[in-house]
Amino acid sequence: MTLHKWFLPHKDTHKKAHLLSWEALLIYVLLFVLLQVSFSVLGNIAPGILGTSSSIQKQRIIELTNIERAKLGLALVSENQTLDRAAEAKAANMFAENYWAHFAPSGKSPWDFMIRVGYRFVFAGENLAKNFSNSDDVVVAWMNSPSHRENIINGKYRDIGIAVEDGVLSGQSTTLVVQMFGTTDNLALAVAEQPEITRIPAVASLNTTSEKVLVDPFKVTKSIGLSLISFIVILLLVDMIVLRRRGVLRISSHHLAHMAVLSVAGAAILTASPGNIL
């Protein structure tokens, strides 16, 4: 089999190049899946090598949250240091128990972290985010989710606590954002008998992320995906140009199917984000 048959349509039958066959496309998909599996294995073998870089700032999160509340004429929330400590404790616990959820495997709830630091709430809520690169994208993602948006624009909340912590989660260097909301009834607290509460100190930045992340799986996957799509598009264009020069003007259903699949895949890759919310 000559090399040109891999890249050019057959000179006699005008059959598409071998690299444009459905079998070749299946191989591309399998290789892409293999890449994802390899990242998972690498994360388990060498925790902390994989990860994304971020520049998320706590004060910016609070500012953007209040901007959204102001748009609806709601009272602004104020940063509460005790609630900050609860958020920091929650982030530390997610790294310590290696989970990504509102409730820990050990049974701890978001409210447990608030109570342990002495924040006695009447109303409370929590938003989580991970692996975003900047503060604005975090708040945009929360606002695009009905349940998270409901927390941000809940008029019952008066206090906010934020934690932005780096660590290793499931083998990958991760930036966690914990956003806690609450309201206390100060009058009730003044007259009620206070139970004994074990207070935990504020959690310092974990700094368990490696100083230099060697591999960003999202960027690598995105780059390879876009490169592969570009390669296939070039082959399709070459196929049409060669056939036209041979006097065989053909835009078949196969070309249209290829273009449709590539368009959907390209759009999905371009709009994808490494961040997740919960």
Side-chain angles (χ1 to χ4, degrees):
M1 184 181 295
T2 57
L3 185 62
H4 76 273
K5 291 183 179 179
W6 289 95
F7 300 94
L8 301 175
H10 194 280
K11 63 180 180 180
D12 296 322
T13 63
H14 307 304
K15 184 179 179 180
K16 292 192 302 298
H18 293 300
L19 291 176
L20 283 177
S21 66
W22 288 109
E23 293 83 358
L25 294 179
L26 178 59
I27 292 175
Y28 301 151
V29 173
L30 291 176
L31 290 175
F32 204 71
V33 172
L34 180 61
L35 176 65
Q36 301 301 310
V37 173
S38 299
F39 281 142
S40 298
V41 173
L42 180 60
N44 291 326
I45 295 176
I49 288 181
L50 301 179
T52 56
S53 59
S54 68
S55 58
I56 299 174
Q57 298 178 343
K58 181 171 71 173
Q59 294 303 320
R60 179 61 176 166
I61 295 285
I62 297 173
E63 176 187 354
L64 292 170
T65 298
N66 276 327
I67 287 175
E68 296 297 337
R69 293 175 67 88
K71 290 178 182 178
L72 299 176
L74 299 171
L76 305 186
V77 287
S78 301
E79 183 178 7
N80 182 286
Q81 292 185 355
T82 305
L83 209 50
D84 279 343
R85 292 168 59 202
E88 291 163 359
K90 172 60 181 289
N93 184 253
M94 281 193 284
F95 285 125
E97 296 190 31
N98 195 38
Y99 70 96
W100 165 244
H102 288 293
F103 293 85
S106 58
K108 299 183 185 74
S109 72
W111 332 126
D112 292 328
F113 295 102
M114 296 181 183
I115 293 172
R116 288 180 63 198
V117 298
Y119 186 83
R120 302 298 299 274
F121 58 87
V122 178
F123 302 104
E126 176 186 77
N127 286 338
L128 302 177
K130 69 173 181 176
N131 286 338
F132 283 87
S133 60
N134 60 76
S135 308
D136 294 56
D137 287 346
V138 173
V139 177
V140 168
W142 281 335
M143 288 300 293
N144 287 335
S145 166
S147 59
H148 296 83
R149 182 178 186 273
E150 185 177 348
N151 269 337
I152 290 176
I153 64 170
N154 192 324
K156 296 178 180 178
Y157 296 145
R158 292 293 178 267
D159 300 327
I160 186 173
I162 299 288
V164 180
E165 300 290 346
D166 294 328
V168 177
L169 192 67
S170 298
Q172 179 171 319
S173 295
T174 303
T175 298
L176 291 178
V177 182
V178 180
Q179 181 185 52
M180 287 184 168
F181 295 97
T183 298
T184 59
D185 187 338
N186 292 324
L187 179 61
L189 289 176
V191 298
E193 181 180 353
Q194 297 296 308
E196 185 68 25
I197 298 174
T198 302
R199 299 180 180 272
I200 60 176
V203 180
S205 178
L206 299 178
N207 290 326
T208 54
T209 304
S210 57
E211 292 183 2
K212 182 179 180 181
V213 176
L214 301 180
V215 180
D216 184 332
F218 176 74
K219 289 182 179 179
V220 171
T221 302
K222 188 171 185 177
S223 298
I224 292 177
L226 291 176
S227 298
L228 184 57
I229 289 174
S230 300
F231 174 70
I232 297 173
V233 168
I234 291 173
L235 287 179
L236 285 172
L237 292 175
V238 170
D239 182 84
M240 289 186 285
I241 292 172
V242 171
L243 290 177
R244 184 173 182 180
R245 289 182 176 179
R246 292 176 182 173
V248 183
L249 184 60
R250 181 187 69 184
I251 300 180
S252 66
S253 59
H254 292 291
H255 286 100
L256 297 177
H258 278 82
M259 287 298 186
V261 171
L262 292 174
S263 297
V264 172
I269 292 175
L270 287 173
T271 57
S273 168
N276 301 103
I277 58 175
L278 192 65

